[in-house]
Amino acid sequence: MTVKPANLIYGVEDNPPFGATILLAVQHLLIAVIYLVYPVIVVAEAGGTRAEAAFCLQMSMLAIGLGTVLQVRNRGPLGSGFLIPHVTTAAYLTPSLIAARAGGMALVLGMTMTAGAFEGILSRFMKKLRVLFPPEVSGVVVAMIGFSLAKVAILRLVGLGGSDSVIEPAELWVGGVTLSTMVGLVVWSKGSFRLYSAAIGLAIGYGLAMVVGISNSNFLDDIAATPFIALPSWAHPGLSFDIYLILPFLIGALASTVKASGVVINCQKVNDPDWKRADMVSVGKGMLADGIGCFSSGLLGGMGTSMSAANVGLSMATGATSRRVGYFIGFFFLLLVFLPKFSVILTLMPPPVMGAGLLYVASYLIASGIQLIMTRMMDSRRTFIVGLSFLAGISLEVVPALHQNLPTWAAAIFGSSLTVATMVAFALNLIFRIGVSQKAGLLLSPQLEVGAEIYRFLENQGATWGARQQVIHEAKHILRELIEALYMHAKTDGPVHVEARFDEYNLNIHVTYKGSPMEFPASPPTEDELMLDKSSLARMSGFMIQFMAEKVTATVNSNLCKVSIHITH
Amino acid sequence: MTVKPANLIYGLEDNPPMGASILLAVQHLLIAVIDLIYPVLIVGEAGGTRAEIAFCLQMSMLAIGLGTILQIRNRGPLGSGFLIPHVTTAAYLTPSLIAARVGGMALVLGMTMMAGVIEGILSRFMKKLRVLFPPEVSGVVVAMIGFSLAKVAILRFVGLGGSDSVIEPAELWVGGVTLSTMVAFVVWSGGSFRLYSAVIGLAIGYGLAMVVGISNSNFIDDIAAAPLFGLPSWVHPGLRFDIYLILPFFIGAMVSTLKASGVVITCQKVNDPDWKRADMVSVGKGMLADGIGCFSSGLLGGMGTSMSDFPWPPGPLPDGWATLSGFSFYCWFSCRNFRSR
């Protein structure tokens, strides 16, 4: 069992008292509520009634509850074992809207099941995925999900769409105030106000919409007419499938997989103070539970779900990552299924409030996509991967003529900026892998400005390889320290040959030189040794290099010495 | 005098021999040529004739020439003193397209002059600007320039726009091959091929357009008919102003100002091995020359110019992700085929 980190109040294995657990679980529900907008939007796009929207919402919550419980379990081949609530996800929103237009809710449900199956399959090919979807590609996908929400969101924010073609000032006001409240609370407030910014913003939006009279006229009556406790009225539209829609849903599944891996690894780090490297077993189990959650949502009648990064953020902010809280969240979602008033209130959400919520979520998606892209160093390859795929996606949004009058199969692909951008990024990444040598050499001589040479060499190679900035940064320092030590202590006066090898997981640097071998002791020389013994300075350098690098080995072959440095990528 | 850094063959104050100077200057022209597409686009948007396009292009080049000389001088209150050529800039493309639609070329020219004045004024308030435009703000602006060109670029790429509402395969081919050529040269070639990827791509695009017959039918005749030497034929449309267009041009001027500061500081670093901190005096003088270049371009009949940030071969790009959208735009954009509409 690992030690609980000091900054957590309740670690994953701890059991908070009953009252505290309930309070924490309710907090998580408040965070998740904003994502429950998606099913309402999808059913509306399919032309469904309010009752159908309520059903889809209830079934989504049922799947969320079941999925969360599966996810939180730490036994068997399923579930990451961390406090990771599921929610309905933006990754499936655009694909679901296409499906809703093409074949109604039945198609949405069938394709959601397919997507869940995809994610389950993808979870088995994690290693390969990392090569096919490096951060610059998955970053484009995440940011494009945000961009693709723009149209859905802005139409509702200003109160357009459907038969309504007039922007009424009242609608603008409601949308504007809701969005400003959410953003204002995140930016300027602290503590719980900040955590519940979305829920508070939604509540204010509902209130304002009632006051200015743009909400459904019989809003209160409808809520009053709904019973407190009731079984969901079964309105399942059946299931249908369409081969042409596989691609957009596959991309949604892929985005969920990428997110799942990030979320689980994040949980591992928070819960283990001695965290060194990702435990891919628990990541794979988490993804499988994620896929099964999504699959069962489609089967039951809900839309696609996946792990909620926002909720994991909440658990870290509150310092409570207890598994028990996770179980409670799952049970609460199951409970909400049988409290129809809750679902009715959500289905009656005024469009400007919805728009504000979507813009709020989209901002996070865009920023985190860009962040993901920038974790890798940029070179001309990545410049074009990012630039051209964004431009291809955005072109579709600004020139609708591009996807009019297309045959069905093509419309499924070119109807979505997200699909096109993802395909361009994916294809360019594969094409640009041609001709990237994973090995590079550098010859250093004492006459050169060694430090600058090393920096330039590793910066250029790092950019070509698409290595993480942090790793290259470390490598620069280690290599510079080593070369300087060689010239100062190892009787090197000739050229030093540096060879760097890179793959997605490792950066290995081999340094060959003529001179005396270096020592890399595990502990530094004592103060006395440093004072008295001049040779201990070399051991001091050796210790520092050993300390910074993950693994250092020194070998001697006749009069040629070789130092190998390993850094995990 | 500062010491010349070891990695420069000719430092700022060195004088390469005549032949080498000519060769190096021609290289710079080749890189800058891609930016000369903008005036063509703008006059096209204003519904101008081919003669008017040629005039705007010539006047832009006149202003670029004058501006570059001002920029390079290292005496007096004007000019950074570094080798920084001016070019017509994407920062003013979207504003100019709006102006062209609203009030024709006269309005474009008037507003370009105004933008030059704004940049001159902004150059006096550098310190304040930094607070108002932190990287996340200026990054969004730069990236949006790239995004805002998506529509202009894609319509031409697939050969739509104006009365033409059919995507012809030939047009797609020319655009696709041109773009792939440019990208491939940047990604896979080394040395000068990489540097001139844009020009090579353009040349191949022109050639292919002729072969598949989507370029103007009398393309070659028109070229043959134009004299080798000749004074520009004066077709200045006059100057107009519109208060509602100040904002877009102000944003263009702001971007130019921010870019100018980055370019001059990079030049300082490259030319001074002991560089410690930015010399804001030479930055301010550079911006002033930049603004005056833009102003005179508008006055003469050309579009907005500013410093070219392309003299540095593609390496790790300075502004991170913001720059990269702009950069890939260059290539995407240039895939338009060159039919005058």
Side-chain angles (χ1 to χ4, degrees), chain B residues 191-218:
Chain B
S192 50
F193 278 118
R194 184 166 185 188
L195 226 44
Y196 310 130
S197 52
V199 179
I200 298 171
L202 287 185
I204 291 181
Y206 267 99
L208 198 61
M210 270 204 286
V211 173
V212 303
I214 61 162
S215 65
N216 209 299
S217 49
N218 40 8

PDB file of all heavy atoms in Angstrom, chain B residues 191-218:
ATOM      1  N   GLY B 191      18.692  23.167 -46.544  1.00  0.00           N
ATOM      2  CA  GLY B 191      19.369  24.280 -47.195  1.00  0.00           C
ATOM      3  C   GLY B 191      18.457  25.199 -47.962  1.00  0.00           C
ATOM      4  O   GLY B 191      17.358  25.511 -47.521  1.00  0.00           O
ATOM      5  N   SER B 192      18.904  25.601 -49.158  1.00  0.00           N
ATOM      6  CA  SER B 192      18.201  26.684 -49.835  1.00  0.00           C
ATOM      7  C   SER B 192      16.846  26.236 -50.351  1.00  0.00           C
ATOM      8  O   SER B 192      15.914  27.018 -50.397  1.00  0.00           O
ATOM      9  CB  SER B 192      19.047  27.238 -50.962  1.00  0.00           C
ATOM     10  OG  SER B 192      19.509  26.203 -51.775  1.00  0.00           O
ATOM     11  N   PHE B 193      16.691  24.956 -50.716  1.00  0.00           N
ATOM     12  CA  PHE B 193      15.382  24.488 -51.168  1.00  0.00           C
ATOM     13  C   PHE B 193      14.334  24.756 -50.103  1.00  0.00           C
ATOM     14  O   PHE B 193      13.208  25.129 -50.379  1.00  0.00           O
ATOM     15  CB  PHE B 193      15.413  22.994 -51.462  1.00  0.00           C
ATOM     16  CG  PHE B 193      15.972  22.688 -52.810  1.00  0.00           C
ATOM     17  CD1 PHE B 193      17.112  21.933 -52.948  1.00  0.00           C
ATOM     18  CD2 PHE B 193      15.352  23.174 -53.946  1.00  0.00           C
ATOM     19  CE1 PHE B 193      17.627  21.666 -54.196  1.00  0.00           C
ATOM     20  CE2 PHE B 193      15.854  22.915 -55.190  1.00  0.00           C
ATOM     21  CZ  PHE B 193      17.004  22.155 -55.319  1.00  0.00           C
ATOM     22  N   ARG B 194      14.752  24.539 -48.877  1.00  0.00           N
ATOM     23  CA  ARG B 194      13.834  24.725 -47.776  1.00  0.00           C
ATOM     24  C   ARG B 194      13.450  26.191 -47.634  1.00  0.00           C
ATOM     25  O   ARG B 194      12.291  26.531 -47.396  1.00  0.00           O
ATOM     26  CB  ARG B 194      14.546  24.250 -46.516  1.00  0.00           C
ATOM     27  CG  ARG B 194      13.678  24.317 -45.351  1.00  0.00           C
ATOM     28  CD  ARG B 194      14.283  23.551 -44.227  1.00  0.00           C
ATOM     29  NE  ARG B 194      13.333  23.546 -43.153  1.00  0.00           N
ATOM     30  CZ  ARG B 194      13.579  23.109 -41.965  1.00  0.00           C
ATOM     31  NH1 ARG B 194      14.750  22.586 -41.689  1.00  0.00           N
ATOM     32  NH2 ARG B 194      12.670  23.152 -41.039  1.00  0.00           N
ATOM     33  N   LEU B 195      14.438  27.039 -47.807  1.00  0.00           N
ATOM     34  CA  LEU B 195      14.234  28.474 -47.675  1.00  0.00           C
ATOM     35  C   LEU B 195      13.289  28.982 -48.750  1.00  0.00           C
ATOM     36  O   LEU B 195      12.487  29.875 -48.519  1.00  0.00           O
ATOM     37  CB  LEU B 195      15.593  29.148 -47.786  1.00  0.00           C
ATOM     38  CG  LEU B 195      15.935  30.219 -46.780  1.00  0.00           C
ATOM     39  CD1 LEU B 195      15.546  29.805 -45.389  1.00  0.00           C
ATOM     40  CD2 LEU B 195      17.419  30.511 -46.843  1.00  0.00           C
ATOM     41  N   TYR B 196      13.397  28.428 -49.946  1.00  0.00           N
ATOM     42  CA  TYR B 196      12.612  28.945 -51.065  1.00  0.00           C
ATOM     43  C   TYR B 196      11.410  28.074 -51.364  1.00  0.00           C
ATOM     44  O   TYR B 196      10.869  28.104 -52.458  1.00  0.00           O
ATOM     45  CB  TYR B 196      13.481  29.092 -52.311  1.00  0.00           C
ATOM     46  CG  TYR B 196      14.735  29.842 -52.004  1.00  0.00           C
ATOM     47  CD1 TYR B 196      15.977  29.365 -52.367  1.00  0.00           C
ATOM     48  CD2 TYR B 196      14.657  31.029 -51.280  1.00  0.00           C
ATOM     49  CE1 TYR B 196      17.109  30.053 -52.021  1.00  0.00           C
ATOM     50  CE2 TYR B 196      15.788  31.710 -50.923  1.00  0.00           C
ATOM     51  CZ  TYR B 196      17.014  31.225 -51.298  1.00  0.00           C
ATOM     52  OH  TYR B 196      18.136  31.900 -50.942  1.00  0.00           O
ATOM     53  N   SER B 197      11.005  27.262 -50.380  1.00  0.00           N
ATOM     54  CA  SER B 197       9.884  26.355 -50.610  1.00  0.00           C
ATOM     55  C   SER B 197       8.675  27.085 -51.178  1.00  0.00           C
ATOM     56  O   SER B 197       8.020  26.595 -52.107  1.00  0.00           O
ATOM     57  CB  SER B 197       9.511  25.664 -49.313  1.00  0.00           C
ATOM     58  OG  SER B 197       9.311  26.628 -48.317  1.00  0.00           O
ATOM     59  N   ALA B 198       8.400  28.278 -50.648  1.00  0.00           N
ATOM     60  CA  ALA B 198       7.210  29.001 -51.091  1.00  0.00           C
ATOM     61  C   ALA B 198       7.332  29.385 -52.563  1.00  0.00           C
ATOM     62  O   ALA B 198       6.397  29.202 -53.337  1.00  0.00           O
ATOM     63  CB  ALA B 198       7.000  30.241 -50.236  1.00  0.00           C
ATOM     64  N   VAL B 199       8.484  29.918 -52.934  1.00  0.00           N
ATOM     65  CA  VAL B 199       8.676  30.343 -54.325  1.00  0.00           C
ATOM     66  C   VAL B 199       8.607  29.145 -55.261  1.00  0.00           C
ATOM     67  O   VAL B 199       7.949  29.190 -56.312  1.00  0.00           O
ATOM     68  CB  VAL B 199      10.038  31.038 -54.485  1.00  0.00           C
ATOM     69  CG1 VAL B 199      10.230  31.454 -55.924  1.00  0.00           C
ATOM     70  CG2 VAL B 199      10.090  32.234 -53.588  1.00  0.00           C
ATOM     71  N   ILE B 200       9.249  28.056 -54.864  1.00  0.00           N
ATOM     72  CA  ILE B 200       9.226  26.868 -55.709  1.00  0.00           C
ATOM     73  C   ILE B 200       7.801  26.394 -55.881  1.00  0.00           C
ATOM     74  O   ILE B 200       7.345  26.085 -56.985  1.00  0.00           O
ATOM     75  CB  ILE B 200      10.104  25.761 -55.080  1.00  0.00           C
ATOM     76  CG1 ILE B 200      11.553  26.240 -54.985  1.00  0.00           C
ATOM     77  CG2 ILE B 200      10.021  24.483 -55.906  1.00  0.00           C
ATOM     78  CD1 ILE B 200      12.450  25.326 -54.192  1.00  0.00           C
ATOM     79  N   GLY B 201       7.057  26.364 -54.769  1.00  0.00           N
ATOM     80  CA  GLY B 201       5.658  25.945 -54.829  1.00  0.00           C
ATOM     81  C   GLY B 201       4.857  26.839 -55.760  1.00  0.00           C
ATOM     82  O   GLY B 201       4.081  26.360 -56.594  1.00  0.00           O
ATOM     83  N   LEU B 202       5.048  28.143 -55.636  1.00  0.00           N
ATOM     84  CA  LEU B 202       4.334  29.084 -56.501  1.00  0.00           C
ATOM     85  C   LEU B 202       4.654  28.818 -57.969  1.00  0.00           C
ATOM     86  O   LEU B 202       3.759  28.771 -58.811  1.00  0.00           O
ATOM     87  CB  LEU B 202       4.711  30.527 -56.168  1.00  0.00           C
ATOM     88  CG  LEU B 202       4.175  31.123 -54.882  1.00  0.00           C
ATOM     89  CD1 LEU B 202       4.555  32.584 -54.777  1.00  0.00           C
ATOM     90  CD2 LEU B 202       2.671  30.983 -54.822  1.00  0.00           C
ATOM     91  N   ALA B 203       5.933  28.643 -58.258  1.00  0.00           N
ATOM     92  CA  ALA B 203       6.339  28.432 -59.652  1.00  0.00           C
ATOM     93  C   ALA B 203       5.687  27.181 -60.206  1.00  0.00           C
ATOM     94  O   ALA B 203       5.136  27.177 -61.317  1.00  0.00           O
ATOM     95  CB  ALA B 203       7.859  28.324 -59.733  1.00  0.00           C
ATOM     96  N   ILE B 204       5.706  26.107 -59.422  1.00  0.00           N
ATOM     97  CA  ILE B 204       5.079  24.867 -59.869  1.00  0.00           C
ATOM     98  C   ILE B 204       3.578  25.069 -60.051  1.00  0.00           C
ATOM     99  O   ILE B 204       2.983  24.583 -61.012  1.00  0.00           O
ATOM    100  CB  ILE B 204       5.385  23.732 -58.865  1.00  0.00           C
ATOM    101  CG1 ILE B 204       6.872  23.391 -58.962  1.00  0.00           C
ATOM    102  CG2 ILE B 204       4.521  22.516 -59.122  1.00  0.00           C
ATOM    103  CD1 ILE B 204       7.308  22.292 -58.051  1.00  0.00           C
ATOM    104  N   GLY B 205       2.973  25.829 -59.132  1.00  0.00           N
ATOM    105  CA  GLY B 205       1.549  26.110 -59.247  1.00  0.00           C
ATOM    106  C   GLY B 205       1.207  26.849 -60.531  1.00  0.00           C
ATOM    107  O   GLY B 205       0.276  26.472 -61.253  1.00  0.00           O
ATOM    108  N   TYR B 206       1.979  27.890 -60.844  1.00  0.00           N
ATOM    109  CA  TYR B 206       1.782  28.622 -62.097  1.00  0.00           C
ATOM    110  C   TYR B 206       1.874  27.669 -63.289  1.00  0.00           C
ATOM    111  O   TYR B 206       1.023  27.672 -64.180  1.00  0.00           O
ATOM    112  CB  TYR B 206       2.872  29.687 -62.267  1.00  0.00           C
ATOM    113  CG  TYR B 206       2.513  31.058 -61.752  1.00  0.00           C
ATOM    114  CD1 TYR B 206       2.953  31.481 -60.509  1.00  0.00           C
ATOM    115  CD2 TYR B 206       1.776  31.933 -62.513  1.00  0.00           C
ATOM    116  CE1 TYR B 206       2.659  32.745 -60.026  1.00  0.00           C
ATOM    117  CE2 TYR B 206       1.469  33.208 -62.038  1.00  0.00           C
ATOM    118  CZ  TYR B 206       1.918  33.607 -60.798  1.00  0.00           C
ATOM    119  OH  TYR B 206       1.617  34.845 -60.329  1.00  0.00           O
ATOM    120  N   GLY B 207       2.939  26.878 -63.284  1.00  0.00           N
ATOM    121  CA  GLY B 207       3.177  25.974 -64.403  1.00  0.00           C
ATOM    122  C   GLY B 207       2.012  25.003 -64.573  1.00  0.00           C
ATOM    123  O   GLY B 207       1.448  24.858 -65.666  1.00  0.00           O
ATOM    124  N   LEU B 208       1.623  24.385 -63.462  1.00  0.00           N
ATOM    125  CA  LEU B 208       0.552  23.393 -63.519  1.00  0.00           C
ATOM    126  C   LEU B 208      -0.758  24.033 -63.974  1.00  0.00           C
ATOM    127  O   LEU B 208      -1.511  23.446 -64.768  1.00  0.00           O
ATOM    128  CB  LEU B 208       0.380  22.774 -62.132  1.00  0.00           C
ATOM    129  CG  LEU B 208      -0.362  21.451 -62.070  1.00  0.00           C
ATOM    130  CD1 LEU B 208       0.382  20.408 -62.876  1.00  0.00           C
ATOM    131  CD2 LEU B 208      -0.477  21.003 -60.618  1.00  0.00           C
ATOM    132  N   ALA B 209      -1.027  25.249 -63.491  1.00  0.00           N
ATOM    133  CA  ALA B 209      -2.260  25.935 -63.869  1.00  0.00           C
ATOM    134  C   ALA B 209      -2.294  26.149 -65.374  1.00  0.00           C
ATOM    135  O   ALA B 209      -3.345  26.019 -66.012  1.00  0.00           O
ATOM    136  CB  ALA B 209      -2.370  27.266 -63.136  1.00  0.00           C
ATOM    137  N   MET B 210      -1.142  26.464 -65.954  1.00  0.00           N
ATOM    138  CA  MET B 210      -1.085  26.643 -67.403  1.00  0.00           C
ATOM    139  C   MET B 210      -1.343  25.325 -68.115  1.00  0.00           C
ATOM    140  O   MET B 210      -2.101  25.257 -69.075  1.00  0.00           O
ATOM    141  CB  MET B 210       0.286  27.185 -67.803  1.00  0.00           C
ATOM    142  CG  MET B 210       0.314  28.694 -67.799  1.00  0.00           C
ATOM    143  SD  MET B 210       1.604  29.276 -68.881  1.00  0.00           S
ATOM    144  CE  MET B 210       3.033  28.914 -67.906  1.00  0.00           C
ATOM    145  N   VAL B 211      -0.714  24.269 -67.604  1.00  0.00           N
ATOM    146  CA  VAL B 211      -0.847  22.976 -68.260  1.00  0.00           C
ATOM    147  C   VAL B 211      -2.294  22.488 -68.242  1.00  0.00           C
ATOM    148  O   VAL B 211      -2.837  22.086 -69.265  1.00  0.00           O
ATOM    149  CB  VAL B 211       0.078  21.940 -67.573  1.00  0.00           C
ATOM    150  CG1 VAL B 211      -0.183  20.552 -68.133  1.00  0.00           C
ATOM    151  CG2 VAL B 211       1.531  22.332 -67.759  1.00  0.00           C
ATOM    152  N   VAL B 212      -2.933  22.536 -67.090  1.00  0.00           N
ATOM    153  CA  VAL B 212      -4.305  22.033 -67.025  1.00  0.00           C
ATOM    154  C   VAL B 212      -5.304  23.063 -67.528  1.00  0.00           C
ATOM    155  O   VAL B 212      -6.490  22.803 -67.594  1.00  0.00           O
ATOM    156  CB  VAL B 212      -4.711  21.571 -65.605  1.00  0.00           C
ATOM    157  CG1 VAL B 212      -3.756  20.513 -65.095  1.00  0.00           C
ATOM    158  CG2 VAL B 212      -4.772  22.742 -64.656  1.00  0.00           C
ATOM    159  N   GLY B 213      -4.819  24.254 -67.849  1.00  0.00           N
ATOM    160  CA  GLY B 213      -5.671  25.233 -68.518  1.00  0.00           C
ATOM    161  C   GLY B 213      -6.628  25.956 -67.606  1.00  0.00           C
ATOM    162  O   GLY B 213      -7.688  26.386 -68.045  1.00  0.00           O
ATOM    163  N   ILE B 214      -6.296  26.128 -66.322  1.00  0.00           N
ATOM    164  CA  ILE B 214      -7.207  26.915 -65.506  1.00  0.00           C
ATOM    165  C   ILE B 214      -6.686  28.328 -65.329  1.00  0.00           C
ATOM    166  O   ILE B 214      -7.351  29.163 -64.720  1.00  0.00           O
ATOM    167  CB  ILE B 214      -7.466  26.292 -64.126  1.00  0.00           C
ATOM    168  CG1 ILE B 214      -6.180  26.187 -63.332  1.00  0.00           C
ATOM    169  CG2 ILE B 214      -8.176  24.973 -64.243  1.00  0.00           C
ATOM    170  CD1 ILE B 214      -6.446  25.997 -61.875  1.00  0.00           C
ATOM    171  N   SER B 215      -5.480  28.621 -65.803  1.00  0.00           N
ATOM    172  CA  SER B 215      -5.038  30.004 -65.706  1.00  0.00           C
ATOM    173  C   SER B 215      -5.708  30.774 -66.833  1.00  0.00           C
ATOM    174  O   SER B 215      -6.252  30.211 -67.767  1.00  0.00           O
ATOM    175  CB  SER B 215      -3.527  30.100 -65.815  1.00  0.00           C
ATOM    176  OG  SER B 215      -3.118  29.690 -67.080  1.00  0.00           O
ATOM    177  N   ASN B 216      -5.665  32.084 -66.685  1.00  0.00           N
ATOM    178  CA  ASN B 216      -6.281  32.933 -67.695  1.00  0.00           C
ATOM    179  C   ASN B 216      -5.785  32.526 -69.079  1.00  0.00           C
ATOM    180  O   ASN B 216      -4.604  32.289 -69.269  1.00  0.00           O
ATOM    181  CB  ASN B 216      -5.883  34.358 -67.395  1.00  0.00           C
ATOM    182  CG  ASN B 216      -6.935  35.301 -67.873  1.00  0.00           C
ATOM    183  OD1 ASN B 216      -7.195  35.328 -69.072  1.00  0.00           O
ATOM    184  ND2 ASN B 216      -7.557  36.019 -66.962  1.00  0.00           N
ATOM    185  N   SER B 217      -6.697  32.461 -70.048  1.00  0.00           N
ATOM    186  CA  SER B 217      -6.336  31.893 -71.343  1.00  0.00           C
ATOM    187  C   SER B 217      -5.188  32.644 -72.015  1.00  0.00           C
ATOM    188  O   SER B 217      -4.319  32.045 -72.632  1.00  0.00           O
ATOM    189  CB  SER B 217      -7.560  31.882 -72.251  1.00  0.00           C
ATOM    190  OG  SER B 217      -8.154  33.152 -72.224  1.00  0.00           O
ATOM    191  N   ASN B 218      -5.181  33.974 -71.875  1.00  0.00           N
ATOM    192  CA  ASN B 218      -4.114  34.711 -72.556  1.00  0.00           C
ATOM    193  C   ASN B 218      -2.989  35.105 -71.593  1.00  0.00           C
ATOM    194  O   ASN B 218      -2.417  36.189 -71.684  1.00  0.00           O
ATOM    195  CB  ASN B 218      -4.679  35.935 -73.257  1.00  0.00           C
ATOM    196  CG  ASN B 218      -5.742  36.604 -72.409  1.00  0.00           C
ATOM    197  OD1 ASN B 218      -5.940  36.220 -71.245  1.00  0.00           O
ATOM    198  ND2 ASN B 218      -6.404  37.583 -72.968  1.00  0.00           N
TER     199      ASN B 218
END
